[in-house]
Amino acid sequence: MPSSAPEQPARGFRHASVLLDGAVEALVHDPAGTYLDGTFGRGGHSRAILARLAPEGQLLAIDRDPQAVAEAAVIDDPRFAIEQGEFARLDEIATRHGLHGRLAGVLLDVGVSSPQLDDPERGFSFLRDGPLDMRMDPSRGESAAGFLARAGEGEIAAVFKAYGEERFARRLARAIVARRLERPFERTADLAEVVKAAHPAWEKGKHPATRVFQALRIQVNGELEQLDAALEAALEALAPGGHLVVISFHSLEDRRVKRFIRDHVRGDTDLPRGIPVRDDQLKRRLASLGKARRPSAEEVQENPRARSAVMRMARKRY
């Protein structure tokens, strides 16, 4: 697998991979196997996977963020390759590498990474003023500023409600539309201040713009649609016996992962009761690898962003 990583590494931002040891332990069941890290980030999980692989093992990584792909250039290991792309296309990427249906494991660490949040130029955080962008791949798609400039009040409110679970979605959307008549939103701090002023009930210990920024990020990057597609793609790319490990960071993601695994563990439940059928007829394509796991108190203390993480694991049956 030739590496497609660019020559120059990205700027360094501190990043601690969540559930690092547990995820790699659940994923790597065959040190000689070939694995896929669908969300390279800054390479914490990938490096830990490589450390557990035998000389004949291989790791293919994917990330849609060009800065993340650039960071991979520092990994000098013939067993490693990376491609820039959406993890929703992981089966297509695996197929290009001759790995369709052959992967021993797929890891998905869903959501935004700490370097993305910490770099104000990326526009993900209301805590640091920067361009209102939020795209994981800044070269493609509509930015958060672009969405807020063209979307109607109803569409903005629907995004805040669906993706941020914001109780005051309509009120905040109305305030945003009223303000943009004066001038467009271009900076994160500007948007955060408008939301802060319009929000009638702040949650204890949480900035009033938290849910709005989450919703915009999910909208801009199509994150939930990407996750749904990635789960289906991973199931096809895995070999029988291959492991699927997914780490998510909020309930919208985790509900999707939980439902996907549950449905493929149960199989076809519409068959009439009492009729003897084989497992393959039930289409039980996954087997659970235990209960969901959460970070330890020690990990949360070291990395507060890990507090909401949930890891779910399954094995492909056929």
Side-chain angles (χ1 to χ4, degrees), residues 132 145-146 148-150 176 179-187 190-191:
L132 187 59
L148 291 180
R150 62 98 184 148
I176 287 170
R179 212 312 298 275
R180 79 181 181 191
L181 293 175
E182 303 172 17
R183 65 182 187 277
F185 288 94
E186 297 178 346
R187 308 288 296 182
D190 185 21
L191 175 61

Short mmCIF file of all heavy atoms in Angstrom, two decimals, residues 132 145-146 148-150 176 179-187 190-191:
data_model
loop_
_atom_site.label_atom_id
_atom_site.label_comp_id
_atom_site.label_asym_id
_atom_site.label_seq_id
_atom_site.Cartn_x
_atom_site.Cartn_y
_atom_site.Cartn_z
N LEU A 132 -15.44 32.10 10.66
CA LEU A 132 -16.56 31.19 10.92
C LEU A 132 -16.63 30.16 9.80
O LEU A 132 -17.42 30.26 8.87
CB LEU A 132 -17.85 32.00 11.02
CG LEU A 132 -19.11 31.25 11.46
CD1 LEU A 132 -18.93 30.62 12.83
CD2 LEU A 132 -20.30 32.20 11.46
N ALA A 145 -20.28 30.20 7.89
CA ALA A 145 -20.66 31.56 7.51
C ALA A 145 -21.55 31.56 6.28
O ALA A 145 -22.54 32.30 6.20
CB ALA A 145 -19.41 32.39 7.26
N GLY A 146 -21.21 30.72 5.31
CA GLY A 146 -22.02 30.62 4.10
C GLY A 146 -23.42 30.12 4.37
O GLY A 146 -24.41 30.63 3.82
N LEU A 148 -25.12 30.36 7.25
CA LEU A 148 -25.88 31.37 7.98
C LEU A 148 -26.24 32.56 7.09
O LEU A 148 -27.22 33.27 7.36
CB LEU A 148 -25.10 31.86 9.20
CG LEU A 148 -24.93 30.84 10.34
CD1 LEU A 148 -24.14 31.46 11.48
CD2 LEU A 148 -26.28 30.34 10.84
N ALA A 149 -25.48 32.78 6.03
CA ALA A 149 -25.77 33.90 5.14
C ALA A 149 -26.94 33.60 4.21
O ALA A 149 -27.67 34.52 3.81
CB ALA A 149 -24.52 34.24 4.31
N ARG A 150 -27.15 32.34 3.85
CA ARG A 150 -28.17 32.04 2.83
C ARG A 150 -29.39 31.30 3.36
O ARG A 150 -30.46 31.34 2.76
CB ARG A 150 -27.56 31.26 1.68
CG ARG A 150 -26.96 29.90 2.03
CD ARG A 150 -27.91 28.76 1.73
NE ARG A 150 -27.35 27.47 2.15
CZ ARG A 150 -28.11 26.48 2.58
NH1 ARG A 150 -29.41 26.60 2.68
NH2 ARG A 150 -27.54 25.34 2.95
N ILE A 176 -30.35 35.59 14.87
CA ILE A 176 -29.28 35.53 13.87
C ILE A 176 -29.74 36.17 12.56
O ILE A 176 -29.01 36.96 11.94
CB ILE A 176 -28.85 34.07 13.65
CG1 ILE A 176 -28.04 33.59 14.87
CG2 ILE A 176 -28.05 33.90 12.36
CD1 ILE A 176 -27.77 32.11 14.89
N ARG A 179 -29.89 39.98 12.92
CA ARG A 179 -28.58 40.62 12.96
C ARG A 179 -27.89 40.61 11.61
O ARG A 179 -27.19 41.57 11.23
CB ARG A 179 -27.70 39.95 14.00
CG ARG A 179 -26.68 40.83 14.74
CD ARG A 179 -25.82 41.73 13.91
NE ARG A 179 -24.95 41.05 12.97
CZ ARG A 179 -23.76 40.56 13.25
NH1 ARG A 179 -23.28 40.67 14.47
NH2 ARG A 179 -23.04 39.97 12.31
N ARG A 180 -28.09 39.56 10.83
CA ARG A 180 -27.38 39.49 9.56
C ARG A 180 -27.89 40.53 8.55
O ARG A 180 -27.25 40.78 7.54
CB ARG A 180 -27.46 38.08 8.97
CG ARG A 180 -28.76 37.75 8.27
CD ARG A 180 -28.77 36.33 7.74
NE ARG A 180 -30.01 36.05 7.05
CZ ARG A 180 -30.41 34.83 6.67
NH1 ARG A 180 -29.64 33.78 6.96
NH2 ARG A 180 -31.54 34.66 6.04
N LEU A 181 -29.04 41.12 8.82
CA LEU A 181 -29.52 42.21 7.98
C LEU A 181 -28.59 43.42 8.07
O LEU A 181 -28.48 44.21 7.13
CB LEU A 181 -30.94 42.61 8.38
CG LEU A 181 -32.04 41.57 8.12
CD1 LEU A 181 -33.36 42.05 8.67
CD2 LEU A 181 -32.15 41.26 6.62
N GLU A 182 -27.92 43.56 9.21
CA GLU A 182 -26.97 44.65 9.41
C GLU A 182 -25.63 44.33 8.75
O GLU A 182 -25.05 45.16 8.05
CB GLU A 182 -26.76 44.91 10.90
CG GLU A 182 -28.03 45.23 11.67
CD GLU A 182 -27.77 45.28 13.16
OE1 GLU A 182 -26.59 45.40 13.57
OE2 GLU A 182 -28.74 45.20 13.93
N ARG A 183 -25.14 43.13 8.99
CA ARG A 183 -23.88 42.69 8.38
C ARG A 183 -23.80 41.17 8.52
O ARG A 183 -24.33 40.59 9.46
CB ARG A 183 -22.67 43.35 9.04
CG ARG A 183 -22.44 43.00 10.49
CD ARG A 183 -21.22 43.76 11.05
NE ARG A 183 -20.88 43.31 12.39
CZ ARG A 183 -21.47 43.72 13.49
NH1 ARG A 183 -22.46 44.62 13.42
NH2 ARG A 183 -21.09 43.27 14.68
N PRO A 184 -23.12 40.49 7.60
CA PRO A 184 -23.04 39.02 7.65
C PRO A 184 -22.15 38.55 8.79
O PRO A 184 -21.27 39.28 9.26
CB PRO A 184 -22.44 38.65 6.30
CG PRO A 184 -21.66 39.87 5.89
CD PRO A 184 -22.44 41.04 6.41
N PHE A 185 -22.39 37.33 9.22
CA PHE A 185 -21.52 36.71 10.23
C PHE A 185 -20.27 36.17 9.56
O PHE A 185 -20.35 35.38 8.61
CB PHE A 185 -22.25 35.56 10.94
CG PHE A 185 -23.33 36.01 11.87
CD1 PHE A 185 -24.65 36.09 11.45
CD2 PHE A 185 -23.04 36.37 13.19
CE1 PHE A 185 -25.65 36.51 12.30
CE2 PHE A 185 -24.03 36.79 14.05
CZ PHE A 185 -25.35 36.87 13.61
N GLU A 186 -19.11 36.61 10.06
CA GLU A 186 -17.84 36.16 9.50
C GLU A 186 -16.89 35.62 10.55
O GLU A 186 -15.93 34.94 10.19
CB GLU A 186 -17.16 37.32 8.76
CG GLU A 186 -17.95 37.83 7.56
CD GLU A 186 -17.28 39.00 6.87
OE1 GLU A 186 -16.35 39.59 7.47
OE2 GLU A 186 -17.68 39.32 5.73
N ARG A 187 -17.14 35.92 11.84
CA ARG A 187 -16.23 35.52 12.91
C ARG A 187 -16.97 34.72 13.97
O ARG A 187 -18.16 34.93 14.24
CB ARG A 187 -15.60 36.76 13.56
CG ARG A 187 -14.97 37.74 12.62
CD ARG A 187 -13.69 37.23 12.03
NE ARG A 187 -12.63 37.03 13.02
CZ ARG A 187 -11.41 36.62 12.71
NH1 ARG A 187 -11.09 36.37 11.45
NH2 ARG A 187 -10.50 36.45 13.66
N ASP A 190 -18.24 36.82 17.02
CA ASP A 190 -19.42 37.60 16.68
C ASP A 190 -20.68 36.75 16.84
O ASP A 190 -21.66 37.16 17.48
CB ASP A 190 -19.28 38.12 15.25
CG ASP A 190 -20.42 39.05 14.84
OD1 ASP A 190 -21.09 39.61 15.73
OD2 ASP A 190 -20.64 39.21 13.63
N LEU A 191 -20.67 35.56 16.26
CA LEU A 191 -21.83 34.66 16.38
C LEU A 191 -22.07 34.29 17.83
O LEU A 191 -23.21 34.28 18.30
CB LEU A 191 -21.60 33.41 15.54
CG LEU A 191 -22.68 32.33 15.66
CD1 LEU A 191 -24.04 32.86 15.19
CD2 LEU A 191 -22.29 31.08 14.87
#
